[in-house]
Amino acid sequence: MTKPRKLFVKTYGCQMNVYDSERMSTALGVSGYQATDRPEDADLILLNTCHIREKAAEKVYSELGRLKPLKLGNPDLMIGVTGCVAQAEGAEIMRRQPAVDIVVGPQAYHRLPEMERHARQGAKMIDTDFPDEDKFDHLPRGPKMRRAPAAFLTVQEGCDKFCAFCVVPYTRGSEASRPAARILDEARDLLERGVREITLLGQNVNAYHGHSGDGDWSLARLIRELAKLDGLERIRFTTSHPNDMQEDLITAFGEVDKLMPYLHLPVQSGSDRILKAMNRRHTAENYLKLVDRIRAQRPDLMLSGDFIVGFPGETEADFQATLELVETVRYGQAYSFKYSARPGTPAAERAEVPAVDKTDRLARLQTLLTAQQKEAQNAMVGRQVKVLFEKAGRRQGQLVGKSEYLHAVHVSCGPSRIGEVLPVRITSSAVNSLSGELV
Ligand code: 5AD
Ligand code: SF4
């Protein structure tokens, strides 16, 4: 028998890429590949790329430069680039780095096993189409292996919002929702594999509008249906746009016990002038009112956000408005970035804020956000939370899991508790995690 070929996947960027990498690995597993975590052992290396951060494409080209010499040691080695940089750069990737055999965009990777076969015959394979078929239908799920208790499930992809700074509408394409029935099937399949928590993924997840023969499905309807599945203990969803937080989704926070009290709700800026320039189509006040309405349903809601400082035209007064909004909202956790131009986006044409101002504003915003995160974590000490145990912790005899509020919690207990949701009293708070003991 021939030795199975080995696959190494390196994933960049968001949770959707983590999910996509898993699906691609399963599909190639059916074609006979086995996973390896050593690129030097691999017969196929895939870089599943992200285009959202600065100089994303350049970083991929340097990584490809580092991988190229591996082809000398293994003439069978093929290299593929998948994900959003593949979509944005297309054939340019092979022009700049001839060692690349396969380029496939995020909407076409169900064709990857077939492309792999052709590439083995020596063809250079590129596919950056946005095909009509649902790629998820064409990907095998693979054998019923046990999985980690928390899983991602993509329900929606792409975005039609066209925020002036963002590449997503160009790389992931226009907004598309998967049919609800397929999602429910996939959820049942995950539950059979031991999954207890599902995070529904979408670039604009709360714009979800599936249709499954019996009318329209909003994200809230999908969540309510998922909550009926035995064995599923927790539901989360990310990432949401403020303008798509419909009433039924807001009330779900108060009514669906399995929906966890954590919401990632990016605002980007607290200045109405900048929000307008960003094409966000909401004001700071709209956002604050929305937060109040959701908190009225779930007073203990932990909020997370994304912020951009130094967007073209941002003044110190605009930045102050962002700080004020953060003071008002009080975030449990947040991501903040200096604006940087993405070629092809409207904001890339505009005059930039000086780099020193961006650096200074980011430092001030992060100081405030870090203090709020610390405060939210400290407030957990002494409280009882429920932890879904996911894996071994840092220390011997320790497990780590997530609380309802998505805090990582370290607890001393035996490995048999993985996959269980247990009450834990929080005893201390560290920089990015909590510690506690079983109650
Ligand atoms: N510059 C800086 N940050 C950006 N983001 C998206 N595009 C840019 C950009 N051009 C941030 C936004 C978004 C998060 C995923 O990345 O805050 O919500
Ligand atoms: Fe990008 Fe999010 Fe705006 Fe869509 S809503 S364009 S994904 S920042």
Side-chain angles (χ1 to χ4, degrees):
M1 219 177 87
T2 51
K3 228 169 50 175
R5 290 206 163 103
K6 294 263 169 67
L7 169 70
F8 173 80
V9 185
K10 178 164 177 176
T11 308
Y12 299 78
C14 66
Q15 292 146 328
M16 193 173 286
N17 268 11
V18 174
Y19 175 87
D20 287 350
S21 290
E22 221 166 78
R23 298 294 302 258
M24 289 191 280
S25 303
T26 311
L28 289 163
V30 172
S31 305
Y33 275 92
Q34 276 179 7
T36 173
D37 46 19
R38 287 167 42 94
E40 48 275 83
D41 293 344
D43 302 294
L44 173 60
I45 295 178
L46 294 179
L47 300 183
N48 191 15
T49 61
C50 166
H51 202 261
I52 211 141
R53 297 274 78 85
E54 200 175 3
K55 302 202 182 79
E58 290 313 312
K59 284 176 192 152
V60 171
Y61 286 117
S62 343
E63 180 72 22
L64 289 169
R66 280 193 292 274
L67 292 171
K68 186 183 172 188
L70 294 177
K71 283 201 155 187
L72 299 172
N74 176 6
D76 280 344
L77 173 63
M78 293 197 308
I79 299 178
V81 180
T82 66
C84 293
V85 172
Q87 190 66 40
E89 297 277 294
E92 176 65 13
I93 297 183
M94 282 166 180
R95 267 195 293 276
R96 275 189 60 179
Q97 183 45 272
V100 173
D101 305 282
I102 299 173
V103 172
V104 54
Q107 301 310 335
Y109 68 62
H110 53 297
R111 297 175 181 162
L112 188 56
E114 193 192 329
M115 293 172 77
E116 184 268 345
R117 277 195 299 282
H118 290 297
R120 285 260 165 242
Q121 314 296 320
K124 292 275 180 193
M125 300 300 296
I126 303 181
D127 194 342
T128 51
D129 283 357
F130 288 101
D132 287 336
E133 71 244 44
D134 181 349
K135 68 182 176 199
F136 300 107
D137 282 352
H138 295 261
L139 283 170
R141 293 222 182 98
K144 291 244 182 287
M145 280 179 311
R146 248 194 123 62
R147 300 189 27 141
F152 297 126
L153 203 175
T154 294
V155 302
Q156 177 280 340
E157 251 189 296
C159 182
D160 295 336
K161 293 280 187 289
F162 289 95
C163 296
F165 51 80
C166 184
V167 288
V168 166
Y170 311 97
T171 55
R172 288 271 170 175
S174 60
E175 203 177 288
S177 297
R178 296 179 64 196
R182 305 259 166 72
I183 296 165
L184 290 163
D185 276 350
E186 196 173 325
R188 286 187 201 98
D189 183 75
L190 289 170
L191 295 177
E192 282 177 34
R193 294 161 192 256
V195 167
R196 294 290 162 261
E197 172 179 309
I198 293 180
T199 300
L200 305 175
L201 294 181
Q203 270 88 26
N204 192 359
V205 71
N206 57 343
Y208 177 82
H209 52 276
H211 29 76
S212 276
D214 61 343
D216 282 350
W217 283 64
S218 62
L219 184 67
R221 183 171 175 199
L222 183 62
I223 288 170
R224 285 172 201 271
E225 272 316 297
L226 283 165
K228 292 179 189 159
L229 298 180
D230 279 339
L232 183 59
E233 309 222 20
R234 297 173 152 195
I235 304 167
R236 306 180 189 274
F237 60 91
T238 198
T239 292
S240 298
H241 191 287
N243 290 3
D244 291 317
M245 281 310 288
Q246 302 302 336
E247 187 62 30
D248 62 346
L249 188 56
I250 295 173
T251 53
F253 275 102
E255 293 169 4
V256 181
D257 288 343
K258 291 183 182 179
L259 181 60
M260 292 293 102
Y262 180 97
L263 178 63
H264 183 60
L265 192 65
V267 65
Q268 313 294 357
S269 167
S271 153
D272 289 344
R273 216 173 59 81
I274 294 300
L275 287 168
K276 191 152 197 285
M278 286 176 165
N279 192 32
R280 288 287 294 178
R281 298 165 200 248
H282 61 75
T283 61
E285 195 193 346
N286 297 152
Y287 181 86
L288 293 173
K289 283 197 171 139
L290 176 62
V291 167
D292 284 345
R293 280 167 61 211
I294 309 167
R295 280 186 169 148
Q297 292 290 324
R298 198 66 220 236
D300 62 339
L301 186 87
M302 193 66 71
L303 259 182
S304 153
D306 288 345
F307 298 88
I308 296 177
V309 300
F311 186 78
E314 188 187 74
T315 62
E316 176 60 25
D318 294 315
F319 175 66
Q320 283 299 330
T322 300
L323 294 179
E324 269 168 42
L325 180 138
V326 172
E327 291 280 10
T328 310
V329 172
R330 312 214 67 81
Y331 288 89
Q333 208 253 335
Y335 305 90
S336 47
F337 313 95
K338 282 185 221 176
Y339 170 75
S340 77
R342 300 289 181 272
T345 58
E349 313 290 314
R350 303 178 198 165
E352 291 241 2
V353 167
V356 281
D357 293 333
K358 287 193 217 173
T359 304
D360 170 65
R361 288 175 198 167
L362 185 66
R364 283 146 72 202
L365 177 60
Q366 290 187 338
T367 303
L368 177 60
L369 290 169
T370 308
Q372 292 194 352
Q373 176 180 336
K374 194 167 169 196
E375 196 179 305
Q377 285 186 204
N378 287 344
M380 290 287 154
V381 177
R383 276 182 61 183
Q384 187 171 313
V385 295
K386 282 191 176 150
V387 174
L388 169 61
F389 288 102
E390 293 179 20
K391 57 183 184 202
R394 255 171 304 187
R395 296 209 199 98
Q396 187 82 31
Q398 222 184 29
L399 289 186
V400 62
K402 298 274 166 52
S403 75
E404 301 90 317
Y405 308 103
L406 210 56
H407 286 129
V409 183
H410 294 267
V411 178
S412 292
C413 67
S416 62
R417 306 330 269 286
I418 288 178
E420 288 184 47
V421 177
L422 298 170
V424 168
R425 185 168 329 279
I426 302 301
T427 51
S428 67
S429 165
V431 179
N432 276 315
S433 68
L434 303 171
S435 293
E437 51 201 25
L438 285 182
V439 176

